């Protein structure tokens, strides 16, 4: 199966007319699975977390799962040249995988209605499999991960997507996940568990537009999908959706010139930016308070590390305790886009974050939590477009971050289409790109931040 055939299959699934019948009701499925289980999340002191030890680092007694430690950071990117902060250390490569299958000729993905303790809307659709090696080797002593055999070991299906991608570079140190979609033969019988359901990409797109229905791990896998129709085919819906499909097709072909220019620009930017990250203990975190209750900045800004106890009947383990990172305020992640030379292009910036493996990745036009800045003039470029005319807004939806590690962490996802006559003065680390070119970079891994990928998924 060629890349073009795969892109056509994804696009056909994304453009399938929606079935509004009561038997095909994804929001109703989420509500029903929420009612079907008892979920409880309560905050605990860090020094009272069963199985965890707070010392130089915050570690689990097994030395598995993850650790919360400290880093000292110095860089010439952004308004703050150096700082210290807590960070999550999780060297394991997690598995994020969707099973796919053609049903009546159309590709569907098997999604799980999964509870995660950090989400405000606790049950959201996740990939078929969402697990770290510590989870699926059952260090926790719980039940086996359903459908894992399709993703670990010899594959039983056709690989449609397989990419290593980074996690949040401000929260994790060098964290990676494997993003996979495996297609089973049409007609092959597979048992569908009570918390699982088949969804088309059209249904997923509608859930993403509503917000807080599709979790972050599902969004990062969905962002790896390349949509294609071979030519700028007509799709149903409004002209913006048509322009998004054409942006996927633009730059996705065999023309290497724009790809070479982009890689040269990235190399130039990386050469100008520097980053030093040094591991330190929690006790060495200047301006952070660690008193056994939590770990928090003395200003009350940024985030705090808290403990939670969790009861969840639908998970592999029915109850557990863990640390989580809780942001001080809500954040934004936004793309500016514009039709340029007949193609819808998106404005990306290069970002330096302490947890990136290769120092620099492409981010959305702006990321910010406004209250984390002491001065408005330190806001990133173009953040003022949050107050743009309403008719420019193409997407505005709240989306949860990683609900397995972050507590009540949501970002407003914004896509703003600028009029063609709107002129921007771009800093040297900003660049317009079509989605097709970006998807070529993503296939190489570690080029695009998870926040930008989450927003790209919402454009699907």
């Amino acid at each position: 199966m060629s890349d073009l055939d795969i892109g056509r299959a994804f696009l056909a699934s994304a453009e399938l007319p929606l079935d509004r019948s009561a038997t095909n009701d994804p929001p109703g499925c989420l509500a029903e699975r929420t009612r079907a289980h008892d979920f409880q999340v309560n905050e605990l002191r860090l020094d009272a977390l069963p199985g965890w030890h707070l010392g130089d680092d915050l570690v689990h007694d097994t030395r598995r799962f993850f650790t919360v430690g400290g880093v000292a950071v110095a860089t010439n990117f952004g308004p703050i040249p150096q700082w210290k902060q807590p960070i999550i250390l999780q060297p394991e490569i997690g598995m994020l995988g969707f099973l796919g299958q053609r049903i009546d000729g159309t590709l569907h993905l098997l999604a799980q209605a999964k509870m995660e303790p950090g989400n405000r809307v606790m049950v959201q659709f996740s990939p078929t499999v969402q697990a770290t090696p510590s989870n699926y080797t059952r260090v926790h002593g719980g039940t086996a991960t359903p459908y894992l055999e399709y993703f670990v070991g010899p594959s039983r299906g056709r690989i449609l997507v397989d990419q290593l991608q980074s996690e949040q570079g401000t929260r994790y140190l060098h964290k990676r996940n494997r993003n996979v979609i495996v297609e089973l033969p049409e007609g092959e019988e597979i048992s569908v568990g009570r918390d699982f359901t088949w969804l088309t990409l059209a249904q997923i797109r509608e859930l993403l537009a509503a917000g807080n229905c599709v979790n972050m791990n599902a969004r990062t896998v969905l962002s790896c999908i390349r949509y294609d129709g071979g030519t700028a085919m007509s799709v149903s819906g409004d002209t913006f959706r048509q322009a998004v499909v054409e942006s996927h097709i633009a730059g996705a072909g065999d023309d290497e010139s724009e790809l070479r220019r982009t890689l040269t620009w990235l190399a130039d930017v990386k050469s100008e930016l520097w980053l030093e990250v040094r591991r330190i203990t929690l006790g060495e975190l200047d301006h952070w308070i660690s008193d056994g209750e939590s770990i928090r900045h003395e200003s009350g800004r940024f985030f705090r590390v808290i403990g939670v106890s969790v009861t969840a009947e639908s998970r592999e383990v029915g109850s557990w305790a863990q640390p989580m990172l809780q942001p001080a305020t809500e954040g934004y992640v936004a793309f500016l886009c514009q039709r340029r030379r007949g193609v819808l292009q998106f404005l990306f910036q290069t970002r330096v974050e302490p947890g990136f493996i290769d120092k620099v990745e492409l981010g959305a036009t702006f990321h910010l939590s406004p209250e984390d800045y002491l001065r408005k003039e330190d806001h990133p470029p173009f953040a003022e477009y949050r107050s743009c005319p309403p008719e420019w807004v193409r997407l505005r939806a709240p989306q949860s971050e990683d609900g397995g590690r972050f507590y009540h962490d949501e970002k407003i996802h914004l896509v703003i289409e600028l009029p063609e006559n709107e002129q921007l003065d771009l800093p040297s680390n900003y660049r317009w790109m079509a989605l097709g070119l970006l998807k070529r970079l993503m296939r190489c891994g570690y080029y695009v931040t998870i926040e930008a990928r989450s927003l790209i998924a919402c454009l699907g």
Side-chain angles (χ1 to χ4, degrees):
M1 190 181 213
S2 69
D3 285 350
L4 179 58
D5 290 333
I6 293 170
R8 285 172 171 162
F10 283 133
L11 183 57
S13 181
E15 290 303 315
L16 188 74
L18 291 167
D19 180 358
R20 303 292 185 182
S21 69
T23 58
N24 194 348
D25 177 20
C29 173
L30 289 176
E32 189 277 327
R33 297 323 297 165
T34 301
R35 292 191 300 268
H37 300 293
D38 179 36
F39 303 122
Q40 298 290 332
V41 180
N42 297 297
E43 187 171 338
L44 294 179
R45 293 177 59 91
L46 290 178
D47 57 11
L49 278 180
W52 292 81
H53 174 72
L54 180 59
D56 288 344
D57 293 328
L58 179 56
V59 298
H60 193 263
D61 291 344
T62 63
R63 303 289 170 171
R64 297 290 298 274
F65 303 111
F66 64 95
T67 296
V68 180
V71 288
V73 184
T75 182
N76 63 343
F77 176 81
I80 309 299
Q82 56 186 14
W83 69 91
K84 296 178 181 178
Q85 67 166 87
I87 203 162
I88 298 174
L89 309 163
Q90 189 174 349
E92 297 178 331
I93 296 177
M95 174 60 69
L96 307 176
F98 274 110
L99 277 182
Q101 191 173 47
R102 313 285 175 113
I103 299 174
D104 296 329
T106 300
L107 183 65
H108 289 60
L109 301 181
L110 186 61
Q112 180 182 9
K114 189 179 184 71
M115 176 273 187
E116 292 187 290
N119 292 341
R120 281 198 178 97
V121 180
M122 206 170 288
V123 178
Q124 301 184 22
F125 284 120
S126 78
T128 317
V129 167
Q130 173 184 310
T132 65
S134 288
N135 294 137
Y136 61 70
T137 58
R138 301 163 71 179
V139 174
H140 48 49
T143 59
T145 302
Y147 307 107
L148 180 67
E149 66 274 15
Y150 293 99
F151 300 95
V152 177
S155 172
R156 295 173 61 182
R158 179 187 293 119
I159 303 295
L160 304 185
V161 168
D162 193 353
Q163 298 178 15
L164 277 177
Q165 298 289 357
S166 60
E167 294 290 288
Q168 288 87 347
T170 59
R171 306 284 184 83
Y172 288 104
L173 185 64
H174 301 168
K175 176 72 171 69
R176 299 170 291 170
N177 278 327
R178 192 170 177 183
N179 295 243
V180 181
I181 300 178
V182 174
E183 184 184 4
L184 300 177
E186 187 168 6
E188 179 176 319
E189 292 291 332
I190 178 173
S191 176
V192 177
R194 288 178 298 175
D195 291 324
F196 294 80
T197 190
W198 291 105
L199 300 175
T200 66
L201 288 169
Q203 290 173 310
I204 293 172
R205 184 186 69 236
E206 186 173 59
L207 292 165
L208 286 165
N212 277 335
C213 295
V214 180
N215 78 3
M216 184 274 294
N217 291 304
R219 297 196 305 271
T220 181
V221 180
L222 295 167
S223 75
C224 300
I225 289 173
R226 173 187 159 191
Y227 298 94
D228 205 337
T231 60
M233 62 181 291
S234 176
V235 299
S236 61
D238 60 27
T239 57
F240 182 73
R241 279 175 56 194
Q242 173 72 42
V244 168
V245 172
E246 292 173 354
S247 186
H248 273 277
I249 297 168
D254 296 327
D255 181 11
E256 298 295 319
S257 58
E258 184 61 25
L259 179 62
R260 284 196 301 269
R261 285 193 293 270
T262 302
L263 290 172
T264 297
W265 167 73
L266 280 169
D268 288 342
V269 172
K270 286 182 181 182
S271 298
E272 296 169 0
L273 297 171
W274 57 268
L275 172 70
E276 295 177 0
V277 180
R278 177 172 55 88
R279 276 278 285 122
I280 58 176
T281 67
L282 294 174
E284 296 175 278
L285 290 174
D286 299 337
H287 308 296
W288 290 80
I289 300 167
S290 179
D291 57 4
E293 176 188 351
S294 64
I295 302 170
R296 58 197 181 275
H297 197 267
E298 61 187 18
S299 69
R301 293 181 294 141
F302 311 119
F303 61 86
R304 64 186 186 125
V305 183
I306 64 171
V308 296
S309 64
V310 185
T311 301
E313 294 178 336
S314 61
R315 295 290 295 263
E316 292 90 342
V317 176
S319 62
W320 72 93
Q322 67 171 89
M324 303 195 85
L325 271 61
Q326 181 183 30
T329 61
E330 186 179 69
Y332 293 82
V333 55
F335 271 130
L336 300 183
C337 61
Q338 190 176 51
R339 298 173 201 241
R340 303 172 62 82
R341 299 184 298 278
V343 175
L344 186 67
Q345 299 197 32
F346 294 79
L347 186 57
F348 288 86
Q349 60 160 314
T350 53
R351 290 179 58 85
V352 172
E353 296 181 4
F356 288 160
I357 289 175
D358 194 24
K359 181 174 65 177
V360 173
E361 292 190 13
L362 289 166
T365 312
F366 61 85
H367 306 182
L368 86 158
S369 296
E371 287 75 15
D372 283 348
Y373 293 85
L374 290 175
R375 305 182 308 167
K376 190 172 182 180
E377 54 265 36
D378 288 336
H379 284 189
F382 311 115
E384 67 275 11
Y385 279 94
R386 285 180 297 142
S387 301
C388 72
E391 60 269 22
W392 295 6
V393 176
R394 299 293 175 258
L395 172 78
R396 182 185 180 96
Q399 304 291 358
S400 63
E401 291 294 300
D402 180 357
R405 297 289 178 267
F406 310 144
Y407 187 72
H408 291 183
D409 190 356
E410 291 181 359
K411 287 187 173 59
I412 300 298
H413 283 45
L414 277 172
V415 177
I416 299 164
E417 184 179 5
L418 303 180
E420 291 186 48
N421 61 357
E422 182 84 358
Q423 299 293 317
L424 299 182
D425 184 15
L426 299 188
S428 61
N429 65 315
Y430 283 73
R431 192 176 184 91
W432 293 101
M433 290 188 203
L435 292 176
L437 174 61
L438 186 81
K439 293 300 180 82
R440 296 182 71 184
L441 291 171
M442 281 178 58
R443 293 175 75 168
C444 302
Y446 315 140
Y447 271 100
V448 182
T449 69
I450 193 168
E451 293 87 356
R453 299 197 313 270
S454 174
L455 197 46
I456 289 166
C458 296
L459 289 167

